[in-house]
Amino acid sequence: MNAYLAVLLISTILAVIVSLFAFEVSYHNNHTLFFDVHKTPKPSAADNAKIHIDARTITLTKTHLAEIKTELYQPSFRLEGVVDAHQYITLHLPDDGKLSTIEVKIGQRVSPGDVIATFVQPTPIIDLIDNNYLDNQSNDSNKTTNIKEQTKEQTDKTLESLTETSTRNIAIIAPTFGFIAKIFTRYPQNNYKKSTPVALIGDDSQFKLVSVLPKSYKRFINDEKLVNFTTKDGRKFIGQINKIDKSVQNLANFGFSGIQIHILIPKDEAEKAKLHIGDKVSGSVEYGQLTTGVLVPAFAVFDNAQSPFGLNTLKKPPYKPITPLHAYVWEVGQDGYITLAPVDVIEYRPKSDQYLVSGVTLTGLIVLADLPKNAQNKLVKLEGF
């Protein structure tokens, strides 16, 4: 290892010790952390042209190496979701019937006992024309002794009369206070089968939200835990975890297999924050102890394909992913060899265009270059030394 590289590594170790002490004092005395606001210059094209890789070594310039800059942070993850009614009740048709009237509209408030819809249920004629009916007809010698011997006109009139007197109304009643979220049976005079959904009532006497997390985080949460939430426009409230669905699900929309966290919002908290169904909210859950992260220029962080790490969603508030994101950083260890280190991206720092990451060796150097895979495990040489 050449002398310049050795000096850099030693100075890095000393800088880490000093910075950790400073951050300990800063955090415990002021409960705040100093954020590095100085941008790290990106090596020029001329510098990159001097990079050379052979079978055993890689040649870099001084501009390709940066000392470790550390910062204490509190591990945490976010719970995000949309405020919703705490339960929905589906009203079903208790028997076959023809829709007569719909008494409500979507969004309308309802109370227990309110009529949602009415149906008409005809009784099958065959159930009425039974043996008793036929026996009664045969006892009257002045009438036709068998309904089958009536003329077609008389039969039609008889059937019409029987139909009119053999229908019953079915009323679908609201069982609770709430609002009409959906109406399923929308076409009057249509026949619907038993158990057909008629309407969906949202019970908003309390609010809830459902958030998702990777399955690896379920050990950090528990029922009844209180979480501070904030809406997009800054309204604050407290929610309480009341159910954790620990069955792992493939949550395609989120790109991972995870668990669902159900958070109940007490009525007084909802009223205080003036919450409405549809409000998007976010809350932070801290876990573990303060730990040390490293500030790395954004251009020196790479994804699985070794392309520059460029998740645009991190470049707007709150500048943090729901959970840390996996990435890679080239680093030089104390032995002078370069490795592509797996790291977790904790947070983005817009003022300095840096990522706070964990997983970097605190006694090494950060490499500020986009290198090919064959740079892995090569001994670092400095150009001009």
Side-chain angles (χ1 to χ4, degrees), residues 182-290:
K182 288 184 180 179
I183 298 173
F184 300 105
T185 53
R186 308 182 66 89
Y187 304 104
Q189 303 309 310
N190 273 21
N191 290 307
Y192 293 94
K193 294 291 186 182
K194 178 181 178 179
S195 299
T196 296
V198 177
L200 184 69
I201 294 181
D203 180 357
D204 55 358
S205 58
Q206 280 188 302
F207 288 146
K208 74 168 187 179
L209 62 97
V210 179
S211 187
V212 295
L213 282 176
K215 60 182 180 181
S216 58
Y217 283 82
K218 68 182 179 182
R219 68 184 186 276
F220 299 122
I221 54 178
N222 56 277
D223 291 347
E224 300 184 0
K225 184 177 181 65
L226 299 177
V227 182
N228 292 308
F229 286 93
T230 306
T231 63
K232 278 195 167 184
D233 58 2
R235 288 169 285 148
K236 299 182 183 300
F237 65 94
I238 296 174
Q240 184 175 38
I241 296 174
N242 75 324
K243 179 184 175 184
I244 302 171
D245 185 356
K246 294 188 177 181
S247 59
V248 177
Q249 303 176 38
N250 183 20
L251 303 169
N253 291 341
F254 297 88
F256 55 78
S257 294
I259 54 175
Q260 292 188 331
I261 315 299
H262 297 253
I263 297 103
L264 193 65
I265 305 170
K267 188 173 182 179
D268 59 336
E269 289 291 322
E271 291 175 348
K272 180 181 70 175
K274 299 180 180 179
L275 294 179
H276 300 92
I277 290 176
D279 283 344
K280 294 181 179 180
V281 301
S282 175
S284 181
V285 178
E286 296 181 347
Y287 65 93
Q289 298 178 340
L290 285 173

Side-chain angles (χ1 to χ4, degrees), residues 64-232:
H64 290 121
L65 299 174
E67 296 179 357
I68 297 292
K69 298 176 183 177
T70 59
E71 183 175 297
L72 287 178
Y73 72 95
Q74 174 63 59
S76 66
F77 55 83
R78 288 210 323 278
L79 294 177
E80 293 187 335
V82 178
V83 174
D84 202 356
H86 84 103
Q87 69 172 340
Y88 284 88
I89 302 169
T90 302
L91 307 181
H92 293 87
L93 187 59
D95 213 333
D96 295 351
K98 179 187 290 185
L99 178 61
S100 178
T101 61
I102 288 287
E103 303 292 341
V104 293
K105 297 179 180 179
I106 291 178
Q108 181 175 327
R109 307 286 316 174
V110 294
S111 303
D114 286 353
V115 177
I116 306 300
T118 60
F119 291 78
V120 174
Q121 183 192 43
T123 302
I125 295 300
I126 191 65
D127 292 343
L128 296 175
I129 310 176
D130 56 11
N131 290 333
N132 290 334
Y133 174 78
L134 296 177
D135 288 343
N136 290 337
Q137 294 298 310
S138 63
N139 291 334
D140 191 341
S141 59
N142 295 326
K143 295 181 180 178
T144 306
T145 59
N146 194 317
I147 194 170
K148 294 180 180 178
E149 295 177 3
Q150 293 179 2
T151 65
K152 182 177 184 305
E153 182 179 356
Q154 290 173 317
T155 301
D156 290 343
K157 288 181 179 180
T158 301
L159 293 178
E160 182 180 351
S161 174
L162 288 171
T163 301
E164 290 175 355
T165 58
S166 62
T167 58
R168 70 183 180 95
N169 290 328
I170 302 173
I172 306 300
I173 305 297
T176 184
F177 292 98
F179 64 95
I180 301 298
K182 288 184 180 179
I183 298 173
F184 300 105
T185 53
R186 308 182 66 89
Y187 304 104
Q189 303 309 310
N190 273 21
N191 290 307
Y192 293 94
K193 294 291 186 182
K194 178 181 178 179
S195 299
T196 296
V198 177
L200 184 69
I201 294 181
D203 180 357
D204 55 358
S205 58
Q206 280 188 302
F207 288 146
K208 74 168 187 179
L209 62 97
V210 179
S211 187
V212 295
L213 282 176
K215 60 182 180 181
S216 58
Y217 283 82
K218 68 182 179 182
R219 68 184 186 276
F220 299 122
I221 54 178
N222 56 277
D223 291 347
E224 300 184 0
K225 184 177 181 65
L226 299 177
V227 182
N228 292 308
F229 286 93
T230 306
T231 63
K232 278 195 167 184

Side-chain angles (χ1 to χ4, degrees), residues 24-39:
E24 283 282 0
V25 173
S26 169
Y27 184 83
H28 290 294
N29 289 350
N30 305 313
H31 301 290
T32 58
L33 298 178
F34 296 116
F35 295 160
D36 190 283
V37 295
H38 302 291
K39 287 190 177 182

